[in-house]
Amino acid sequence: MLKLEKRGIINIMRSRLGWKNLFILGLVAEKERYGYELKKLLIDYYVTTGITMTTIYRSLKYAERQGWVTGAYRESKNFIKYQYSITSKGKKKLQDEIEYYLSQELMMYYKEFNTALRFRLILEEEKVITALKKRKAKLTEKLNNLSKYIDDPGPGSKASFQHVKNYLNNEIKWINNYLAGKYANNSY
């Protein structure tokens, strides 16, 4: 049974876009982009330098093979650049991914969640709210389960449990503020 459960989780993970692919698809959904521009935006947003052009173009070629983006040569300031634009299939995939990651509570998805949050305006507001409510319910359940262990977690574990408890409380507080309209002007 455990092997089947692990396989199911692995298959779900394989069918999901990671944060880099999600971010690239989101940027291309905003407007036509070329590879170097995507790299610069990724580095600026995530303050990371580990992104290579190979990674960017590998992601774009994969998205092109999936039918999520199309590419064409365009003239720009006396240069010819290969620019990418999103397809309707790509927009649907992006919407599905954003909705999925907004509803997930797993801490390992923090970059995916932040990326989904960045592009949430691609979704209808009701879908964003529904996804965040699901996330809040999952976080609350985790917090309640964690509370059972906090008083007597075992040697050396109290700091770890307290860190997770603080994370969950802050995340729930943020979602409550979002749902209450604190960030309603869409500039957030």
Side-chain angles (χ1 to χ4, degrees):
M1 182 70 176
L2 187 59
K3 283 185 180 181
L4 290 176
E5 285 178 24
K6 282 185 179 177
R7 266 194 208 136
I9 290 170
I10 289 170
N11 286 337
I12 288 169
M13 294 296 293
R14 284 186 184 149
S15 68
R16 293 287 164 202
L17 296 178
W19 70 270
K20 290 175 193 170
N21 291 330
L22 183 63
F23 198 82
I24 289 168
L25 200 56
L27 289 172
V28 172
E30 289 178 341
K31 68 175 198 170
E32 280 191 353
R33 308 261 188 190
Y34 60 97
Y36 183 76
E37 179 183 15
L38 292 168
K39 179 180 179 181
K40 184 177 178 340
L41 290 166
L42 271 163
I43 289 171
D44 289 348
Y45 191 77
Y46 280 110
V47 193
T48 181
T49 55
I51 309 284
T52 65
M53 289 309 296
T54 303
T55 301
I56 301 288
Y57 284 116
R58 197 176 287 150
S59 294
L60 288 167
K61 290 300 173 192
Y62 176 75
E64 211 169 15
R65 283 192 307 274
Q66 298 301 315
W68 301 333
V69 299
T70 58
Y73 287 102
R74 305 268 194 265
E75 192 171 332
S76 172
K77 298 179 186 172
N78 299 327
F79 292 100
I80 296 178
K81 298 177 182 178
Y82 198 75
Q83 291 194 305
Y84 294 87
S85 57
I86 198 159
T87 64
S88 58
K89 185 178 178 182
K91 188 171 183 180
K92 173 71 174 123
K93 176 66 174 172
L94 180 61
Q95 289 170 332
D96 290 346
E97 294 295 300
I98 290 170
E99 193 170 356
Y100 174 78
Y101 284 119
L102 286 177
S103 70
Q104 296 306 300
E105 88 290 356
L106 298 173
M107 289 170 61
M108 66 186 221
Y109 288 142
Y110 78 95
K111 281 188 175 179
E112 288 84 351
F113 175 78
N114 285 338
T115 302
L117 194 59
R118 159 74 165 75
F119 296 110
R120 74 190 182 287
L121 299 179
I122 290 171
L123 290 179
E124 298 166 11
E125 183 63 15
E126 189 56 40
K127 287 187 176 189
V128 172
I129 289 169
T130 300
L132 287 174
K133 285 180 178 178
K134 284 181 188 176
R135 180 181 179 89
K136 179 183 169 185
K138 291 174 184 178
L139 291 169
T140 302
E141 181 182 349
K142 262 191 173 191
L143 185 60
N144 291 337
N145 289 336
L146 182 67
S147 295
K148 297 174 193 173
Y149 304 102
I150 271 208
D151 292 330
D152 188 24
S157 298
K158 192 158 189 152
S160 174
F161 278 116
Q162 193 60 47
H163 177 262
V164 173
K165 180 181 176 184
N166 289 343
Y167 165 80
L168 295 171
N169 278 323
N170 285 328
E171 191 70 19
I172 291 167
K173 182 180 175 182
W174 183 89
I175 291 172
N176 286 336
N177 286 336
Y178 187 94
L179 296 175
K182 205 167 198 176
Y183 311 113
N185 68 4
N186 289 334
S187 64
Y188 289 96

